[in-house]
Amino acid sequence: LEASNGSFWKQSESFAPSNTNPCARFAVYRMRGYQQDINILGQTRRIFDLGNRIEDAVGDMFKDLGILVDSQVPLKFTDPVPINGFIDFLIDWDGPKVVECKSINEAGFAFRSAYHKPKDEHFRQIQFYLHGLDLQSGFLFYYSKNNSAILPLLVERDDEFIQTTFDKYTRIYDVFKAGEIPKRPYKQTSQNCSRCDAFAHCWADKEIGVDFPSKKKN
């Protein structure tokens, strides 16, 4: 499993709904391209594989219930910015619904169960999908990796949130199209940086960058 580690060039032509990195500088690196050093333990790769197997099991469950319409549904749009992604499931449950399946550990599942609140990055992801398919609601389907408990959270489309997020992404895209890059928003010793895929590439980069605009210009 660890034999697939190494250094690879990574580049994307769009934003990704599933991206969990909030850094504007990283978003520009994704579209410019950067050298990514991958050093993932075999145990971590097995955890990723378990997540995929759980998703397959959830798909089989929807199929057995007779509500599965499609899976791994590609989503691509360019207005106001390019965004590409794949929706885990499309089901017919009191009308069409998107479903994003998230396998989490016992502590995370307990928190979501207690407060019935999705993680911020999961909420943002499903909002993109609801917008892209012009649907009013969907489910974040949390699945406990410890005991196979399930927690489907109904999420309503939030147009104000979508517009605010699009405004931020448009500002990032404008910086990218101008051939610029935002300044580093975090210290090198911060957790935000240490967890970033572009950590080594970013801190070796001599380009300081520009101030990232706090709001969209009229």
Side-chain angles (χ1 to χ4, degrees):
L1 290 174
E2 295 177 6
S4 57
N5 289 334
S7 184
F8 306 93
W9 182 257
K10 187 172 182 179
Q11 188 172 13
S12 175
E13 61 181 13
S14 68
F15 293 90
S18 59
N19 177 50
T20 60
N21 192 328
C23 178
R25 187 177 178 98
F26 173 75
V28 173
Y29 277 135
R30 285 189 79 251
M31 290 180 285
R32 280 187 175 186
Y34 65 95
Q35 198 73 21
Q36 180 180 4
D37 297 322
I38 299 177
N39 185 23
I40 301 176
L41 296 174
Q43 181 182 5
T44 304
R45 291 189 181 276
R46 293 196 297 274
I47 292 173
F48 293 159
D49 181 63
L50 176 60
N52 293 332
R53 293 175 186 274
I54 287 174
E55 186 176 314
D56 291 340
V58 171
D60 289 341
M61 182 174 64
F62 291 155
K63 186 176 181 180
D64 290 342
L65 288 169
I67 62 175
L68 180 64
V69 176
D70 204 353
S71 60
Q72 287 300 299
V73 182
L75 178 70
K76 181 175 183 178
F77 53 89
T78 58
D79 184 26
V81 295
I83 295 181
N84 292 348
F86 287 89
I87 302 168
D88 286 344
F89 304 106
L90 183 62
I91 65 172
D92 184 3
W93 180 264
D94 192 25
K97 299 282 190 303
V98 297
V99 179
E100 276 302 301
C101 180
K102 303 296 181 183
S103 56
I104 56 177
N105 60 30
E106 186 174 9
F109 188 88
F111 182 89
R112 303 299 150 199
S113 297
Y115 294 97
H116 280 247
K117 183 179 183 298
K119 293 187 70 172
D120 291 345
E121 58 262 35
H122 298 163
F123 180 82
R124 183 186 67 245
Q125 181 180 2
I126 198 169
Q127 289 297 327
F128 280 130
Y129 295 155
L130 293 174
H131 170 83
L133 293 184
D134 194 22
L135 298 177
Q136 294 306 309
S137 61
F139 288 101
L140 280 167
F141 194 94
Y142 287 102
Y143 190 108
S144 171
K145 291 183 286 189
N146 295 79
N147 59 14
S148 297
I150 59 174
L151 177 67
L153 296 181
L154 180 67
V155 178
E156 301 288 345
R157 179 168 155 181
D158 187 335
D159 288 327
E160 183 178 353
F161 174 86
I162 293 170
Q163 186 58 54
T164 299
T165 307
F166 276 152
D167 286 346
K168 176 184 176 181
Y169 280 26
T170 299
R171 297 195 303 273
I172 294 173
Y173 199 54
D174 287 344
V175 171
F176 165 70
K177 289 189 296 183
E180 301 283 358
I181 194 167
K183 290 181 179 178
R184 299 178 186 92
Y186 309 114
K187 293 182 179 180
Q188 188 172 3
T189 54
S190 71
Q191 287 188 346
N192 300 81
C193 278
S194 64
R195 296 172 179 173
C196 179
D197 290 342
F199 175 84
H201 183 89
C202 178
W203 287 100
D205 187 359
K206 301 302 182 183
E207 187 174 2
I208 295 175
V210 299
D211 290 324
F212 182 61
S214 59
K215 61 181 180 179
K216 186 178 180 181
K217 294 181 181 179
N218 295 325

